[in-house]
Amino acid sequence: MDDHDFEEFASARARELYRAAWLLCGNQWAAEDLVQETLARVFSRWHHVSTAENPAAYVQTMLFRLFVTGRRRLSSTELPSAELPEAPGRTRDHDLRLTLAAALGELPRTDRAVLVMRYLLDHTVAAVATELGLTEHAVRSRATRALARVRDHLGADFIVTTGERP
């Protein structure tokens, strides 16, 4: 096992993995935990992963499956705080992201993974089915139902209000 090869791979893929994890989890901390758990598992299996036909796809599949099964370890060092950090300035884009994250957060894990992979990461139906271990029909029906739930959450005037320019 070559640690240097793993470090190069992890550095090159971390941003994309974090983006997918944030879209799935809806917050920075859970996304960081998911990426960390994924990369820890990749490191422990690096010889096997590095010899795969497409290591990047293999690792992305690991990330999505870890999310769907919810088997990530909870950190024993995280403690709630009575004081909240200073809130950052709000922008329309930030509000839009939070609204989308809230809508995705109300979906079951598998439906959320299907929507993120299919529409936000632009995977094909076949690729989503393969990565999540579903049939293509199941991916299409989950996507249809999940999109309907997201649209219900966002409301009828969502397109109008987000299409406006300040």
Side-chain angles (χ1 to χ4, degrees):
M1 175 186 320
D2 189 292
D3 291 351
H4 181 70
D5 289 343
F6 171 77
E7 289 174 17
E8 284 181 11
F9 177 83
S11 294
R13 305 303 301 173
R15 185 178 187 125
E16 183 179 327
L17 290 171
Y18 176 76
R19 179 175 177 254
W22 191 91
L23 290 167
L24 290 169
C25 298
N27 71 61
Q28 173 185 349
W29 301 276
E32 289 172 353
D33 287 348
L34 180 59
V35 171
Q36 183 177 10
E37 179 68 21
T38 301
L39 290 176
R41 289 181 184 217
V42 168
F43 181 74
S44 69
R45 298 176 179 101
W46 180 240
H47 178 71
H48 179 69
V49 173
S50 64
T51 59
E53 184 176 322
N54 185 347
Y58 187 97
V59 171
Q60 193 171 43
T61 299
M62 287 177 72
L63 178 114
F64 282 102
R65 288 188 177 167
L66 275 172
F67 171 77
V68 169
T69 59
R71 291 186 186 154
R72 290 175 285 125
R73 283 183 243 142
L74 297 176
S75 174
S76 61
T77 60
E78 293 179 11
L79 299 173
S81 173
E83 296 179 31
L84 295 176
E86 187 175 316
R90 298 259 178 188
T91 64
R92 292 190 78 115
D93 187 43
H94 186 264
D95 291 339
L96 175 61
R97 287 183 200 174
L98 290 177
T99 303
L100 180 57
L104 289 172
E106 291 184 3
L107 297 175
R109 290 168 117 26
T110 304
D111 291 352
R112 192 177 335 162
V114 166
L115 285 188
V116 168
M117 292 173 74
R118 183 74 183 102
Y119 299 107
L120 299 173
L121 299 178
D122 204 28
H123 287 252
T124 64
V125 171
V128 174
T130 300
E131 288 189 37
L132 295 180
L134 301 170
T135 66
E136 289 184 26
H137 176 73
V139 169
R140 283 191 291 274
S141 21
R142 282 181 174 276
T144 300
R145 286 192 311 264
L147 279 174
R149 282 188 241 143
V150 168
R151 286 184 185 117
D152 287 345
H153 178 83
L154 298 177
D157 61 340
F158 180 74
I159 303 267
V160 174
T161 59
T162 58
E164 297 172 355
R165 296 285 178 221

